[in-house]
Amino acid sequence: MILKIDSHFLKHAPYLLQIVKNFKSEGVLFGNGKRNTIKLFDLEDKTINIKSFKIPNLLNQLVYKYFRKSKARRSYEYATALLKKGIGTPQPIACFENFNLLGLQDSYYVSEHLVTELTFRELITIPDYPDHENILRHFTRFSFDLHEKGIEFLDHSPGNTLIKKVSENQYQFYLVDLNRMKFHSAMDFDQRMKNLSRLTPKKEMIATMSDEYAKFYLSKSYQEIFDKMWQETCRFREGFERKKRIKKSLKF
């Protein structure tokens, strides 16, 4: 078992290793665990979140051993990089990788468990959510800040941003599910708009986001931003629905 741990949590290394080894039989299950399994554990006065990634197929076991970092290691390193850039994410604690002769077997990402009021998804499903427009505009500024810092969050989708109210009309945002990310020296307009395409299919939300984004991205007008963001959103939705149809047809 290979361990990488944040310096602030080194004294807990034996305990962390123990609960990872006993992961299947201990801890409190969090979420539905369709692809990966997340469990909660106590660490002194904190609750920690351990994500167990499913064992990859034979080819990827080899790839993750010799050619590419595991999802667990990328999650840990990307979280550390985000915090250094002033972007919110739950505090990274450690990652574990278990290898055999074939390659990577089980792997785990450990972080602090963060309790928040909502995710971006609730803004889609509950249009009358209190302070809806203000939250959406704050989120758009958060996304603009990501882009200005060259951070392309490839899983920038509704469930992967946690939203926490910190004071009256003020919110903080935290990225989760971090293993797919790119860091650029700069992001161009097309990259920025494509990065927002997975968030919502609702045209009225796209309009609000475009209006807020245009306040900071001064090289493009509101109409240019809206047209491009809506175009990329429609393109993503078409591809998503096409994949669903293909999967459905393959089942029969």
Side-chain angles (χ1 to χ4, degrees), residues 3-13 16 43 46-51 53 71-96 108-114 162 174-179 181 183:
L3 164 67
K4 190 168 186 179
I5 187 166
D6 183 89
S7 59
H8 296 93
F9 295 89
L10 282 173
K11 66 179 181 179
H12 299 295
L16 293 171
L43 180 65
K46 295 181 174 64
T47 299
I48 62 173
N49 178 311
I50 302 184
K51 184 174 187 177
F53 293 91
K71 292 181 179 181
R73 184 173 289 262
R74 277 181 277 146
S75 297
Y76 175 82
E77 292 182 355
Y78 291 163
T80 302
L82 288 177
L83 292 180
K84 286 181 179 177
K85 291 177 177 288
I87 300 299
T89 191
Q91 174 65 46
I93 294 173
C95 67
F96 296 83
Y108 306 84
Y109 171 55
V110 186
S111 65
E112 283 194 44
H113 183 66
L114 188 63
L162 309 181
Y174 302 85
L175 299 183
V176 295
D177 203 358
L178 304 178
N179 64 86
M181 195 168 291
F183 295 88

Side-chain angles (χ1 to χ4, degrees), residues 16 32-33 91 125 171 231-232:
L16 293 171
N32 56 31
Q91 174 65 46
T125 58
Y171 301 87
Q231 178 190 64
E232 292 293 347

Side-chain angles (χ1 to χ4, degrees), residues 31-44:
N32 56 31
K34 286 183 178 179
R35 288 187 301 169
N36 308 301
T37 303
I38 298 174
K39 286 188 172 182
L40 306 182
F41 296 83
D42 292 326
L43 180 65
E44 293 186 338

Side-chain angles (χ1 to χ4, degrees), residues 193-251:
M193 297 300 101
K194 185 176 180 180
N195 188 236
L196 299 173
S197 66
R198 302 179 63 178
L199 288 163
T200 176
K202 292 190 172 183
K203 202 168 189 176
E204 63 273 20
M205 291 181 69
I206 297 294
T208 300
M209 292 170 67
S210 300
D211 179 68
E212 191 66 24
Y213 206 96
K215 293 176 182 178
F216 303 93
Y217 196 68
L218 302 180
S219 61
K220 298 289 184 181
S221 67
Y222 158 77
Q223 195 61 51
E224 289 173 307
I225 291 172
F226 172 80
D227 289 344
K228 184 64 175 175
M229 197 185 299
W230 181 243
Q231 178 190 64
E232 292 293 347
T233 297
C234 292
R235 184 176 296 156
F236 169 75
R237 299 305 305 177
E238 288 168 4
F240 179 76
E241 293 299 328
R242 190 184 311 117
K243 287 180 182 178
K244 279 177 61 176
R245 290 194 298 270
I246 292 171
K247 285 182 179 179
K248 187 176 181 180
S249 65
L250 289 175
K251 286 181 180 178

